[in-house]
Amino acid sequence: MRLLRNVALLVPAVRRLWDSRNCLLTERDALLTERDALLTEHNMEGRLKNDDEWFELQFRPEEALKKYGVMLPTLPSDEVQISFTGLCGRANLQQAFNFYRYICSVCQINDIREPRILDFGGGWGRVSRFFLRDTLPECIFISEVREYAIQCIRATGNRCQVIHNQPRPPILELTGLFDLVYAYSVFSHLSGEYVHAWINYLLGVLRPGGYLVFTTNGQQFIDNLEHLPLETNDPNLQELFRRLREDLPLPEEIRRRHLKGEFQFYPLGVGAELTSDFSGETLIPRSYIEKNFISFFVDFNENVPNVDQSVVVFQKPA
Ligand SMILES: C[S@@+](CC[C@H](N)C(=O)[O-])C[C@H]1O[C@@H](n2cnc3c(N)ncnc32)[C@H](O)[C@@H]1O
């Protein structure tokens, strides 16, 4: 190629050929951009507005591509999925989908053309895949503290912008401001210091009027603690249940503190990148949220269908 370029500089006929080749390449790029824009418009114009259809398409990626031009990432193995959320298959996606629908209903994200979205602690990309009908993959950022999670996202062929962040803010690779930042089951595992540091930081990367939506442990977590199974088939879950039984106070004590409005963090540290100085089980009651973040507070919902944690909604003042 270098030789051809050098010859092209010397011989006028070859140079003309070289120039027309470059023109064709530019034209091809323009056509590809136009095709992408048309596909986006095709989605945005509403053919993919049907929620049930969009959920079912997660299991029929060829149809999503053929009919709507949406290239869905693949799904990881059941084992990988369980290692993130204790669930797999349809039930796992259903939980993520219900969270996604709740976000859309509260934050009117569908009113924005190509919204910029950050999935903080995005795991293998379970939730972010649903936003692929609302915006372009390059407008979706997924950040993760664990190298393992980054590998899992990449293994699904996810085309969103994937960032490996440090346990503490900032996230240096982030560019521009976001319309929406969300985090499922991340603030249910961080210490008080980290929760405050990350909430303040994530509010800072929102545009005025943008939303921060996150989940944390609450009443449902305490109910589950009261009914932890003694036996499971999964050795990792078995070990987690043992630690929840042995390293945490009794459920009635946790409930008492929760109802009193206490922020509770129990360090459990479950891996090299999730050390016990900042990682464990966290419960944040509504009154604590209201007291500490009143100027951003929009909603606290413990009953989002299928979602096993409390969902908190903040909005950055416009
Ligand atoms: C229970 S998983 C949930 C994953 C994903 N949000 C989902 O709902 O499928 C929690 C994730 O948060 C990530 N995480 C924990 N602390 C983090 C931090 N400081 N920065 C980024 N990610 C973090 C963990 O690596 C883990 O993948």
Side-chain angles (χ1 to χ4, degrees), residues 64-285:
L65 182 61
K66 207 164 146 201
K67 269 173 86 177
Y68 300 109
V70 178
M71 196 181 284
L72 281 167
T74 59
L75 295 167
S77 68
D78 286 358
E79 198 189 357
V80 168
Q81 293 188 38
I82 289 172
S83 74
F84 281 87
T85 45
L87 293 172
C88 64
R90 217 178 160 81
N92 200 21
L93 283 191
Q94 190 69 60
Q95 184 178 77
F97 189 52
N98 281 38
F99 179 60
Y100 157 81
R101 284 174 71 178
Y102 181 72
I103 293 177
C104 292
S105 70
V106 179
C107 308
Q108 300 99 37
I109 206 71
N110 307 115
D111 294 348
I112 304 170
R113 196 172 176 83
E114 294 174 10
R116 298 188 85 243
I117 297 172
L118 169 63
D119 183 341
F120 175 65
W124 59 263
R126 182 177 72 127
V127 181
S128 51
R129 60 190 295 122
F130 291 110
F131 286 98
L132 288 170
R133 75 168 167 178
D134 306 304
T135 196
L136 299 169
E138 50 268 36
C139 295
I140 303 178
F141 291 66
I142 308 173
S143 77
E144 250 298 335
V145 76
R146 279 189 300 160
E147 180 55 40
Y148 172 68
I150 301 284
Q151 284 167 15
C152 293
I153 305 173
R154 295 209 193 285
T156 64
N158 195 308
R159 296 194 305 147
C160 299
Q161 309 222 31
V162 180
I163 298 173
H164 189 182
N165 66 272
Q166 296 302 308
R168 283 174 192 273
I171 307 177
L172 295 176
E173 295 86 343
L174 287 186
T175 53
L177 294 177
F178 289 85
D179 298 293
L180 167 70
V181 177
Y182 65 86
Y184 192 108
S185 193
V186 183
F187 293 109
S188 29
H189 299 287
L190 296 182
S191 70
E193 184 204 334
Y194 277 65
V195 164
H196 280 268
W198 275 113
I199 287 180
N200 289 331
Y201 178 74
L202 295 174
L203 285 167
V205 302
L206 285 176
R207 66 158 169 82
Y211 287 90
L212 169 64
V213 184
F214 63 90
T215 68
T216 186
N217 285 325
Q219 299 284 2
Q220 293 193 58
F221 175 75
I222 307 172
D223 293 345
N224 290 338
L225 279 183
E226 282 170 341
H227 302 102
L228 278 183
L230 288 171
E231 295 289 328
T232 73
N233 293 329
D234 185 312
N236 294 327
L237 281 184
Q238 182 74 20
E239 172 58 9
L240 175 66
F241 291 164
R242 184 193 67 74
R243 295 197 63 188
L244 289 174
R245 257 191 304 273
E246 294 176 10
D247 297 353
L248 267 54
L250 289 172
E252 52 266 36
E253 176 57 15
I254 296 180
R255 197 183 294 282
R256 193 188 64 74
R257 293 179 189 175
H258 190 67
L259 291 174
K260 249 181 65 190
E262 258 181 50
F263 183 110
Q264 298 182 73
F265 170 65
Y266 300 103
L268 289 180
V270 288
E273 288 151 295
L274 297 177
T275 49
S276 54
D277 56 324
F278 75 94
S279 180
E281 291 296 342
T282 306
L283 296 93
I284 317 179

Side-chain angles (χ1 to χ4, degrees), residues 265-312:
F265 170 65
Y266 300 103
L268 289 180
V270 288
E273 288 151 295
L274 297 177
T275 49
S276 54
D277 56 324
F278 75 94
S279 180
E281 291 296 342
T282 306
L283 296 93
I284 317 179
R286 180 187 182 117
S287 55
Y288 184 93
I289 293 282
E290 284 180 340
K291 197 166 144 205
N292 286 272
F293 300 101
I294 193 62
S295 41
F296 303 99
F297 185 81
V298 173
D299 195 25
F300 184 99
N301 191 331
E302 295 199 80
N303 296 304
V304 177
N306 249 311
V307 170
D308 59 351
Q309 303 193 356
S310 315
V311 184
V312 183

Side-chain angles (χ1 to χ4, degrees), residues 49-61:
K49 270 193 181 145
N50 183 319
D51 278 356
D52 294 338
E53 183 186 11
W54 181 224
F55 182 72
E56 291 305 327
L57 282 175
Q58 304 301 315
F59 308 99
R60 300 199 300 268

